[in-house]
Amino acid sequence: RGREFPSRHRPRPNEPVMLRFFRKDYVEQSVVIMLMLVTAWVPAFVNAPRDLYIYGNPAPLYNILASAFSFAPWLMTVLVFAVFSFSVFFFNSILTANQLSVRNSTIGAMTAIVCVSSAAISVESYPFVLACPLILAALQTLYVLFLTEKPESYLFNIGLFLSMASMLYMPSAVLIMWVLLSMMIFGYKQIRLYFVPILGFVTPYFIMMSVCYFTRDLEEFFALYSNGFLGLEFQELTLTTMEMIVLAVEFVLFVLSYLVLKSSKSDNSVQMRKRMGVTAVLLLSSLLMMTLQVPMMCNGMILVVLSIYYSMALSALKKSLTADIMIIVMMVGACVVQYLQLL
């Protein structure tokens, strides 16, 4: 007898082949995801950086890591790859747990890899990759925030996650506005609650400044990092030809995903609308982050948010070749961008 599929995984008539594969979460899907990760990161290992210091990134935790791995920068690449791999599976679990993707599937992991890899992986992208698990932890906490009657600890943890993320990748500090706007979407009317994530955000910096005070490095800490934050400026979008092509393709895929979601009979419950509101505000915040004075395509937050919409659209598609076309376009685009670095 042939292999029996659970009802949620039973192939549908005319279901796209590639989409059917990633709708499952068996060992073979995990193996393919790992192969995709390795394939995407081969150019990063071939072009491993010799200098890990990044000008214009006043991030104390990242600078500590860069100093610790300065004797062997390739080890830093291994660490960043491990963090990226963890983030991919963490991202997939967030989508499935919050019903933003097909349950027990690997669609989220696949879209995260091909979408984020559509930007060239370089040492400038290391801070964001290292901060990504903390940002995803904040996202997951926000997705379940409205389900609790006592949100204080959740809000404090969100601020804590974003603070530690900003210590790795400075533009993450912008996301505190995303949290406050999301709280408005949830309808919180108590003013004191809006100070809780801010308190969580400043706590790690207070601890670090206390340590610097007792080690008599406080003045140096202020000089090094306060200038970076105070000198933070927005810039005009100056993109290379490849970056403009990538963003154009991503925009087309986003519009296509939006149309699919509008036409599908997806969950329209209050919980889902609130989660979609959080995601929409995060999309706007990531667009704002792209204008900060950092290397443009080294800010992968916009690509992470787009992965959420792509995963939802692929989960909604059932009998259309559009799904396979979207997957192929993203995979080919990611490979082209990554392997052009080797030429």
Side-chain angles (χ1 to χ4, degrees), residues 187-231:
Y188 289 113
K189 297 180 180 179
Q190 296 175 293
I191 300 299
R192 66 178 183 85
L193 291 179
Y194 289 85
F195 289 97
V196 177
I198 298 175
L199 178 61
F201 185 87
V202 301
T203 297
Y205 282 96
F206 175 78
I207 295 174
M208 179 162 287
M209 285 189 290
S210 300
V211 172
C212 291
Y213 174 79
F214 286 108
T215 58
R216 300 183 179 181
D217 293 328
L218 185 58
E219 184 176 350
E220 181 181 352
F221 176 85
F222 268 115
L224 183 60
Y225 297 111
S226 63
N227 290 337
F229 278 103
L230 296 176

Side-chain angles (χ1 to χ4, degrees), residues 158-175:
I158 292 171
L160 197 66
F161 290 142
L162 294 181
S163 178
M164 296 177 65
S166 70
M167 288 185 172
L168 290 164
Y169 180 63
M170 176 266 298
S172 302
V174 173
L175 295 178

